[in-house]
Each structure stands twice: as structure tokens, then as C-alpha cells.
Amino acid sequence: MGNAEERHGGVSLFPLQQRDRPRARVLRLIATSFVLFAATSFYYLTSFYGRASQYNAFDIAKQCTINNLHSNLSFLDPAVPIAADEFLERRDRLARALVESKVDAFVLEPGYTFQYYGNISQTDWEPWEPEERPFLMLILPEVSPAGIVSAKTAFLSPHFEEGRVRMLGIPSRDAELDIVIWEEHWNPYDILLKSCLFDGRPAKLMVDEEIRDFIVRGLDSAGFQTVGLNAEIELVRQRKSSAEVELLRAVNTGTVAAVRSMRPCLLPGLTEDEVTEILNSALISINFGLFFNIVLFEEHGALPHGGFVTGWKKLTHESMVVIDVGAHYLGYSSDICRSFLIDPPRQRDRSVHPADPELRAEKFKVWQVVLDAQTAAAAAFRPNNTAASVDIAARTIIENAGYGYGFTHRLGHGIGIKAHESPYLNKWNKAVLLQPGMTFTNEPGIYLENRFGVRHEDIYLVKESGEAELLTGRRATGPYDP
């Protein structure tokens, strides 16, 4: 073949190639650097826009939810603060129950019951946290010569706190609150026994369920006889007034409306924690006080109240979402639950996350079984039915559908200023008879471990006759309409 000089007309190329080697290396280095720069830029740009897109999805969903919710706030219109006269009437009803129970006084300390008999709706109410120094409210029955029973309200307070007690604005028929004061080097329980309220007489005191043990022991050691709550006393709070019903209707309907307003705004990729924050923002926007908010996707919802490591799971079009949420408004509580799916993907996107047809079918089946169970329980909310019968009505539907093992909790509970009040709806509670004015949660559920859960929760008012009244606006109608 000849040498290189012969192949190229006698001219050697080796010197030229040698001269071009540094230039080639520089060109290769430039090309490599450009490729690396382009790849790095692409990575960071896609990461940035991915994060920006996720942020926008959260931000857009939050504003969308608030806009939807604020489109109709008529559910707030009937709700007004509890009037001062109603607090006095509550104490009078309590006084009559104390006479029937042959008890000299009812004793309570700061907490929900204190708020119920004191004043919970004034705008400048300052909660008084229980401390080591006893501050007690006492409600004593007084019987007039005509046999009319009314309540006398008094307080046991540290001397240095007397002024603050008078500033609480607790409704009273007297010009000044009746306060028994004690100095910090005195025994407050001895002082109470020797006060003009009891004149050293070893009175019988009924203590509230929230009162702390050391106070009960102190009262006993001073010579009082203490007893726990009975059914007559509990009934005073269990039967709600018309004003209380309207407050419960407002806060529970509003909480459902917030969840319902949020559902069409949710997009795949949002986490449980992000959905929690979106819902909290909506509730705050209508001046509801945050209480609890449990957001669970898919298998996380198989535990009724979730676990300790939830919050991170991302939403998909196939996620069964369970939201159990409560809020406060003018002193009253909501406690509702909704189970749903977000809107299905657009037609061109449906191949992105193909559904498991069998799992999807079971989700829809379970969703309907739980709704049917709730319907059966609602029909059982009638005067003189037992608390147990309401639970059994729902449980029978679920058991007959083959999911009895998955209904792992009681059906419900009373609700008022506390989210959980007596009476409690479980199948063993046969002693309690439903009374007109009682309000309950109705919350059957089915929980399939490591798969998904479904729970529907609404609030019902027992009426004098006929069907119970729904206090949450309207019930769910389907997985896409909670």
C-alpha cells in the first residue's frame, strides 16, 4: 500500500496532526463542558419547575378552597352567642336536678362544664386554666317558700385572684358575685366548709367529671361527702336548647362545607400534611377555631385516627381520602368525617395511573355499605330507644355485608361544647334512653388493614317525634360528592 508520504503526494501529515493535537483536546474539553453544563442546567431547571409546580398546586388548591367556601356562608346566619339568661336557666335546671338527687351543691373547676354554666360566648372570655390553687364554682339549690327551686352560684378563690374572678363577666342575678376567699397559708377546703354557704355542716357535694383528684380528696378530708355524676345531672347538658342546636348546626355544616369546597380543588401529588393545611386555612377564613384535623390516604385510613408516621403520603386519583375534622365556633364543637376520591383524570391522562379494577370496585362497595349503615342508625334516633339500639342498627348492616370485623369502634357519641360528650352509642349501653334535644355523631366505618378505610360522620338531633334532624346540611351521596 506504500507509506504515508506516497499516499498523499509525498507530503507527510504527521507534523500537522501533531500540531493539531492540543487544539483537539481543547475542543473536546469545551464540548464535554458544554454537555455537562447543559445536563446540570436541565436537572436544576426541571427540579425547580417541579418544586414550583408542586408549590403552585398547593397554593392554588388553598385559594380555590377558600373561594368555594366563601361563595355561600348562609349556614352562619342563624348562629348567635348564648344569651346571659340562658346561663342562668341552665343553673336553675341543674339546681332542680340537685334537689331531685338530694345533693347540696355541685362543684366544678375551670373546664368545659365551667364554661357551660358560666359564660363561653363573650368575646373577651379568658380561659382560666386549672392550677394547683383551687378555684371552684359551686351551684347550690335554693327553695323558695312557694317551692320554686333556683340556683345560687358561689366561688372559692385565692384572695389575690378575687379581682380577676369578678372580671370574668359570669352572668348572675346578684349585683356582686358571692366569693369565698382563702389565703395561701390557709386550708381552702376548711374555709369553704366554715363559710356561710355551709356553716360547718358536712354537706353532700356532687363533683364534676373533670375535677381533679386532689381537690376531691381535699373536700373529703375537710368533712364534705363527695359523690360522682348521675344521670339526672348529666341530662341537663345532654338536652340542647334551640340556641345550642343552631350553634351546632352552624359549626358542623360549616366544617362539612369546608371539606366539600376543598375536594374539587385537590390535585395529585399533594401530601396529607398539605391537605391538612389547606383545610385549616379554609376553616380559619370563616373564623372557626382549629381543634383537630386528621387527613389520611389509602392504607393510612385503615386506622380510624391514623398512625404516628402519617402526613407524607401523596394523593393520587385512586386514593381513598378519609378526613376526620373538628372545629370550634362560639364555644361549640364540630366533629365530622368524609371519605372520598378526587375527580378522575382527564381522558388523555387516564393511562398515567391505571386503576386496579377490583380494588376500585371494593372501595365503592364499602363506601355504600357504610352509607347504608349510617342511614339505618339515623332511623333509630328516636325518643326512648336505647343508645345501644342505634349502634346495633348500623352494625347489623355492616355485619350482613361481610365487613363486621372492619367496624372497630362505637357508632358515636354526644356532642356540644365538647366534641365528645355523653351519652355514648355502643352496643352495650342499654341503660341510656334517648331524649328529645340530645345531639349525636353518627359515624360508622369499615377499615381494611393495609388497604383503605371509609367512615361517614354526621350530626343528628333527636326530636320529640319522627325522624332525627340532620345538623350537617346534607349527607354524602357518593365517593365524588361527600
Side-chain angles (χ1 to χ4, degrees), residues 106-427:
F106 184 68
V107 184
L108 56 155
E109 62 173 328
Y112 282 105
T113 309
F114 189 103
Q115 293 173 351
Y116 178 80
Y117 289 113
N119 187 357
I120 59 173
S121 297
Q122 55 184 334
T123 57
D124 58 349
W125 171 264
E126 179 186 358
W128 192 308
E129 295 294 332
E131 298 176 348
E132 73 279 7
R133 303 178 181 96
F135 168 50
L136 306 178
M137 175 189 278
L138 297 98
I139 300 172
L140 305 87
E142 291 186 326
V143 184
S144 72
I148 298 174
V149 179
S150 60
K152 174 180 177 58
T153 305
F155 299 87
L156 176 70
S157 169
H159 191 181
F160 78 95
E161 294 281 31
E162 179 184 3
R164 189 157 74 106
V165 175
R166 297 191 186 281
M167 293 172 63
L168 289 176
I170 295 172
S172 174
R173 293 187 178 95
D174 302 320
E176 292 284 341
L177 294 180
D178 191 346
I179 303 175
V180 176
I181 60 172
W182 58 278
E183 303 292 350
E184 294 210 62
H185 56 284
W186 296 351
N187 183 318
Y189 312 107
D190 287 341
I191 296 300
L192 180 63
L193 182 67
K194 296 172 183 176
S195 72
C196 61
L197 297 176
F198 301 105
D199 293 323
R201 176 173 51 90
K204 186 176 183 179
L205 306 181
M206 182 172 287
V207 295
D208 181 53
E209 63 182 351
E210 295 180 337
I211 202 165
R212 291 170 294 173
D213 178 69
F214 80 88
I215 291 178
V216 177
R217 287 187 282 110
L219 292 168
D220 287 337
S221 66
F224 290 105
Q225 177 191 357
T226 59
V227 296
L229 295 181
N230 63 24
E232 289 75 20
I233 301 302
E234 287 193 293
L235 192 60
V236 175
R237 267 181 64 180
Q238 289 171 351
R239 300 185 71 169
K240 304 300 189 288
S241 69
S242 58
E244 289 182 283
V245 168
E246 292 308 321
L247 286 169
L248 285 169
R249 189 195 313 276
V251 68
N252 282 281
T253 300
T255 306
V256 170
V259 175
R260 193 171 283 138
S261 296
M262 179 179 67
R263 192 203 65 83
C265 303
L266 298 179
L267 297 171
L270 291 170
T271 66
E272 293 161 320
D273 281 344
E274 288 173 324
V275 173
T276 299
E277 187 174 343
I278 291 168
L279 183 54
N280 284 345
S281 297
L283 293 170
I284 290 171
S285 77
I286 56 174
N287 296 318
F288 280 13
L290 300 181
F291 181 28
F292 68 91
N293 189 355
I294 303 170
V295 176
L296 306 168
F297 300 161
E298 285 294 90
E299 71 275 8
H300 287 178
L303 292 175
H305 289 159
F308 296 102
V309 292
T310 57
W312 56 267
K313 195 169 185 64
K314 291 187 176 182
L315 183 64
T316 74
H317 289 293
E318 299 302 320
S319 299
M320 178 60 75
V321 180
V322 179
I323 296 182
D324 185 9
V325 57
H328 290 136
Y329 184 64
L330 294 178
Y332 280 74
S333 298
S334 64
D335 184 2
I336 65 95
C337 187
R338 286 297 187 267
S339 302
F340 60 85
L341 282 77
I342 62 172
D343 289 337
R346 292 170 295 182
Q347 188 66 39
R348 66 174 181 270
D349 296 333
R350 289 188 178 177
S351 61
V352 176
H353 295 291
D356 178 337
E358 292 185 2
L359 178 60
R360 183 179 180 84
E362 185 164 25
K363 287 177 180 177
F364 277 66
K365 176 185 176 182
V366 167
W367 196 99
Q368 187 61 48
V369 169
V370 175
L371 188 69
D372 292 343
Q374 190 189 51
T375 301
F381 280 123
R382 293 178 182 271
N384 296 318
N385 277 1
T386 66
S389 69
V390 188
D391 179 285
I392 292 169
R395 200 168 298 277
T396 300
I397 297 295
I398 292 175
E399 289 174 348
N400 289 345
Y403 291 103
Y405 64 93
F407 187 7
T408 56
H409 54 73
R410 69 190 177 204
L411 176 71
H413 50 81
I415 185 170
I417 63 171
K418 287 180 69 175
H420 287 214
E421 296 185 349
S422 65
Y424 301 101
L425 303 175
N426 64 71
K427 64 181 181 179

